Amino acid sequence: MAFITLDQQKLKDNYHYLNKLFREEGIQWAVVSKLLCGNRLYLEEVINLGIHQLCDSRVSNLRAIKKMSPEIETIYIKPPPMRSIPEIVRYADISFNTGLSTIQALSAEAEKQGKVHQVIIMVEMGELREGVMRDDLIEFYEKVFRLPHINVVGIGTNLSCLYGVLPNHDKLIQLSLYKQLIEAKFNRKIPYVSGGSSVSIPLIFEKILPRGINHFRVGETLFLGTDVYHDTVIEGMHNDVLRLYAEIIELIEKPTVPMGEIGTNVEGHSFSFDSETSGKTACRAILDIGLLDVESNHLFPADPQIKFAGSSSDMIVIDLGENEKNYKTGDLVEFKMDYMGALRIMNSRYIGKQVR
């Protein structure tokens, strides 16, 4: 078996660290829950932190959140698919948008449901993912402001997720200046400048975050304590809120070099081996987890002596050397994970989820 655990106290510690940081800076922040893949057990732990806003990129997860805690403000954080608009209006209080036809459809659906739907308009700031081109921004806002069942509550941007374009003072000051320009031109108040995510947090430490940035969306740093900007862990935060445990289902001393003609493996990879290792042996353990669940390059063994030997669809093979720690069949091997590793594991229905 294999399972992932969530440490309640470490999650609380990370939350209070971030909440204090943002409160001192006068910033409102929302928890991004997409890493949890809608798992109700873990969503309940996040809701119990006392949060006010939850963001997700799957409307099914927002539906679950609303059923669990209707008072939490929910945010759909990617451009809404046309076929999902009725559900998005029903379960998302706010959505991120970049297309006029989509917002028009949201307005029409909001009228049907007797609601006013709130939108944050995303601006393209160089990452080339979602975002209205800056030259079109004024005309875009002008048309959106005319829609009867839409309330524009913010301007935002996304950075770092696609090509790794990092946020900096200049990009974020531009975003806050666009907000001021739109407010002045249309005499409309825009509450949120949502330019912050986990990758922007170090700008607060360096005191170079523009004061106009007043809204953050944070997932990775809450769950993994990550300084995404520098690929390190923030001092005072935990990077092991989530841990993976996989059971050893075979442990045998075997040769370190395969025997026979080498072709390609299940992933289509071919291998070559150093002739100096020929004839040597090592204790090799097979874990009850595989590529269906996660790729090994996203896992980090708690025991530094463990090395990955290879993976197949439902098993990972590790090299224990001389097995100095006396692992045996049935033992659990512990791993930390990076963001993509945790995301893959959380999305696997074959991996148990526990709270500790």
Side-chain angles (χ1 to χ4, degrees), residues 89-117:
V89 171
R90 187 169 292 113
Y91 299 115
D93 298 301
I94 304 172
S95 62
F96 285 6
N97 283 270
T98 58
L100 182 61
S101 60
T102 302
I103 304 176
Q104 288 170 335
L106 287 166
S107 179
E109 181 60 35
E111 182 178 14
K112 290 180 185 177
Q113 295 188 24
K115 293 182 176 181
V116 173
H117 185 71

Side-chain angles (χ1 to χ4, degrees), residues 8 37 50 130 179 267 283 321-322 337 342:
Q8 282 181 315
C37 297
E130 79 277 22
K179 177 253 194 187
E267 293 183 278
C283 288
E322 296 181 2
M337 299 159 284

Side-chain angles (χ1 to χ4, degrees), residues 28-39:
Q28 184 170 334
W29 70 294
V31 171
V32 179
S33 61
K34 62 183 178 181
L35 176 67
L36 305 181
C37 297
N39 181 271

Side-chain angles (χ1 to χ4, degrees), residues 175-194:
L175 186 67
S176 60
L177 287 173
Y178 280 124
K179 177 253 194 187
Q180 294 174 34
L181 174 63
I182 292 163
E183 285 186 333
K185 181 171 180 60
F186 297 107
N187 193 28
R188 301 283 290 263
K189 184 68 176 173
I190 298 177
Y192 295 138
V193 182
S194 188

Side-chain angles (χ1 to χ4, degrees), residues 66-138:
K66 278 297 188 184
K67 288 181 179 178
M68 295 170 70
S69 186
E71 70 278 5
I72 287 179
E73 192 167 47
T74 50
I75 307 177
Y76 186 80
I77 53 170
K78 65 180 180 182
M82 283 289 193
R83 290 172 177 81
S84 300
I85 278 176
E87 282 197 300
I88 288 170
V89 171
R90 187 169 292 113
Y91 299 115
D93 298 301
I94 304 172
S95 62
F96 285 6
N97 283 270
T98 58
L100 182 61
S101 60
T102 302
I103 304 176
Q104 288 170 335
L106 287 166
S107 179
E109 181 60 35
E111 182 178 14
K112 290 180 185 177
Q113 295 188 24
K115 293 182 176 181
V116 173
H117 185 71
Q118 301 176 89
V119 299
I120 293 174
I121 295 173
M122 302 296 282
V123 185
E124 175 55 62
M125 300 294 291
E127 177 71 357
L128 302 182
R129 204 178 75 168
E130 79 277 22
V132 178
M133 298 303 291
R134 281 168 276 181
D135 288 347
D136 302 327
L137 197 59
I138 298 300

Side-chain angles (χ1 to χ4, degrees), residues 207-218:
K207 300 191 182 304
I208 57 173
L209 182 77
R211 290 182 101 35
I213 305 299
N214 63 6
H215 188 261
F216 269 59
R217 303 101 54 186
V218 178

